[in-house]
Amino acid sequence: MDQDKPREIRLALEAIPLGDKAEGKAGEDAVLFVRDADGVRAFQAKCPHLGAPLAKGEICGGRLYCPWHKAAFALADGSLEEPPALAALTRYPVRIEGGEAVATLTPEPAPTKRAGTAVGKVLIVGTGAAAAACVTTLRREGFSGAITMVGRELPPPYDRTKLSKQFLAKPTPPEKTLLEPDFTAAHHVERIEAEATRIEPAARSVTLADGRVLTGDALLIATGSRAVVPDFEGTDLAGVMTLRSLDDAVRLSDAAEHGKRVVVIGAGFIGLEAAAFLTKRGLSVTVLSREAVPFAKRFGEAVGTALKRYHAGNGVTFVTGQVARIAGNGSVEAVETEDGARLPADIVLIGAGAAPETAVVAGVEPDEHGGLPVGADLKLADGVWIAGDIAAFPERGSGLTARIEHWRLAQQHGTHAAQAILGATEAFSGVPFFWSNQGDKRLDYGGYAPDFDRLILQGDPEALDFIAYYVRENRAVAACSIGRNPAFTAFLHLLGEDRVPSPEAIEAGADLPALV
């Protein structure tokens, strides 16, 4: 055998339908073949985000969507079009021999880009999803100037979405959450661990707690949110926790090694995700919520009831009520409710939502929801953009001003800001999307419908196999789904192109995948 000969993967052309894709394998190697009118191309077989098999993804228009978290890649060349992936697909040379496509496993070189911009230094306040996406986009587009990233968290940028999921199911090394082993070195970033105490948008300056003042030619403010801790008696007891940062997740996971009983206050996404995975770990978990049916306001009664039944079937106990106090002597012992119930606990996890960190931004008044108002360009001042949880921006699909706490949307904002720094002038038009691991079920939600006039429900919520469309002012502006990936992905794509069918057409059984 010729050891110097490049490895190859072959697949019969008839196994790659025109306008579709198929995975080819040779031993442990795999590639994704894509075939259309322009020929056959080959890319890496797994999504660069978390390794989802792209052969199970969906093709919509000229895009390939990851089946798990909806990262989108251009079919023409594998370039990245939507996060949560932060890198393009590796592409491999393909030739046709007889009736076979043959991919040579020597990656094609990525195109070299050089950004033309007068910006010499970019200053970023924050180290979360928006900040990381801004950095990777700048470097991917060829920006060679200085980038300084300021934040009070010690760890390098990490994937916050993992913290309330599998990370809690068993003891997990914190480094498993990192976006890259050494993000700052990989992207030539100056990382300053410090707290910003004042940001002056007009001067593009940031004052740190130690008195230093930093400036940049371009400034991205992406300060994110902090966990809300209600004013209960007993929140200072040992064993009372929030789950917002990697440090929080490590403390909670460590406590779960010794604790047996957990009370989760709040039945939101983080609360129910944590409840599901702590139950998998063998702890007894009680969820205390003011609402009898979680998510009923957001997803509708049928979906909320089905999710509650699913979690209860996996061992989570639900109690409806409000906290009177958290009781204990030094360490937490129980949560007491206003109606007199006492819920024993070794650990209390407060999942009461998050509040945007906007107080350090001078001269800008937050809106009624706590966000900083901006236009569709996300610009706060000349050379200054905001991104993520703190942004109150015009959401295109719904026509509403939105402040949205989604990991992927923060990445979209960060990507948009990077492109604007490099001279792009387009308005932000990304479609909001998030996923939630409800135990072993993945729930997808796309669009924006903080309220809705009615919903169109297809499938069987009780079997957790459904898609629900949310209608506002006679337009389907959002969808929620478990187990209906083709229809959901098509909806997400059509929403981005402003081509969603009318509610009447959807109710009549419109084939959304056929419309992309």
Side-chain angles (χ1 to χ4, degrees), residues 25-362:
K25 291 184 176 182
E28 295 183 357
D29 296 322
V31 298
L32 183 76
F33 289 100
V34 174
R35 184 184 180 196
D36 56 23
D38 294 326
V40 179
R41 294 172 297 285
F43 304 102
Q44 67 186 79
K46 293 184 177 181
C47 180
H49 174 223
L50 289 181
L54 293 174
K56 294 184 178 181
E58 304 296 330
I59 290 178
C60 298
R63 287 182 168 185
L64 170 64
Y65 285 86
C66 167
W68 292 354
H69 308 123
K70 307 304 175 285
F73 307 92
L75 286 176
D77 58 6
S79 57
L80 178 66
E81 297 205 344
E82 290 285 4
L86 295 176
L89 297 180
T90 299
R91 184 173 176 180
Y92 300 100
V94 176
R95 68 182 188 275
I96 306 299
E97 284 188 358
E100 291 184 318
V102 184
T104 302
L105 298 185
T106 301
E108 293 187 355
T112 301
K113 296 184 178 181
R114 187 173 183 83
T117 176
V119 173
K121 179 178 180 180
V122 176
L123 176 59
I124 301 173
V125 184
T127 58
C134 183
V135 168
T136 56
T137 303
L138 287 169
R139 294 306 190 208
R140 192 170 61 245
E141 294 300 317
F143 177 70
S144 58
I147 302 176
T148 299
M149 192 162 59
V150 179
R152 60 174 175 260
E153 283 197 74
L154 176 61
Y158 56 87
D159 190 336
R160 194 184 303 275
T161 66
K162 294 181 177 180
L163 302 184
S164 56
K165 301 178 177 68
Q166 287 85 353
F167 186 88
L168 298 178
K170 61 182 180 180
T172 304
E175 56 268 23
K176 291 288 186 181
T177 68
L178 299 183
L179 297 180
E180 298 181 45
D182 194 339
F183 183 92
T184 55
H187 299 285
H188 307 289
V189 175
E190 179 190 15
R191 171 75 167 85
I192 297 177
E193 183 195 347
E195 182 169 0
T197 56
R198 185 176 178 84
I199 300 173
E200 294 276 1
R204 294 195 293 274
S205 69
V206 178
T207 302
L208 306 182
D210 62 8
R212 283 180 292 171
V213 178
L214 308 177
T215 60
D217 302 313
L219 172 63
L220 174 64
I221 306 172
T223 46
S225 296
R226 66 185 183 278
V228 171
V229 178
D231 190 21
F232 307 137
E233 178 186 344
T235 56
D236 58 342
L237 293 171
V240 178
M241 305 183 183
T242 57
L243 182 52
R244 183 70 191 170
S245 67
L246 179 55
D247 287 344
D248 290 342
V250 169
R251 283 193 292 270
L252 179 57
S253 183
D254 288 347
E257 279 292 276
H258 310 287
K260 295 181 179 179
R261 301 165 300 181
V262 181
V263 172
V264 178
I265 299 173
F269 292 108
I270 287 179
L272 285 189
E273 286 182 353
F277 288 99
L278 289 171
T279 299
K280 280 178 175 284
R281 194 160 174 173
L283 282 74
S284 173
V285 180
T286 298
V287 173
L288 174 63
S289 173
R290 289 177 294 183
E291 299 81 23
V293 178
F295 303 134
K297 183 178 179 181
R298 182 154 199 177
F299 297 145
E301 197 83 16
V303 174
T305 298
L307 287 169
K308 181 178 180 179
R309 184 174 290 114
Y310 170 74
H311 284 293
N314 288 328
V316 176
T317 299
F318 287 86
V319 174
T320 303
Q322 297 194 54
V323 177
R325 72 178 188 124
I326 301 174
N329 183 16
S331 297
V332 62
E333 296 173 5
V335 175
E336 297 177 356
T337 70
E338 290 186 352
D339 59 6
R342 180 179 172 88
L343 309 176
D346 309 304
I347 301 168
V348 171
L349 174 60
I350 298 176
E357 295 273 25
T358 59
V360 296
V361 183

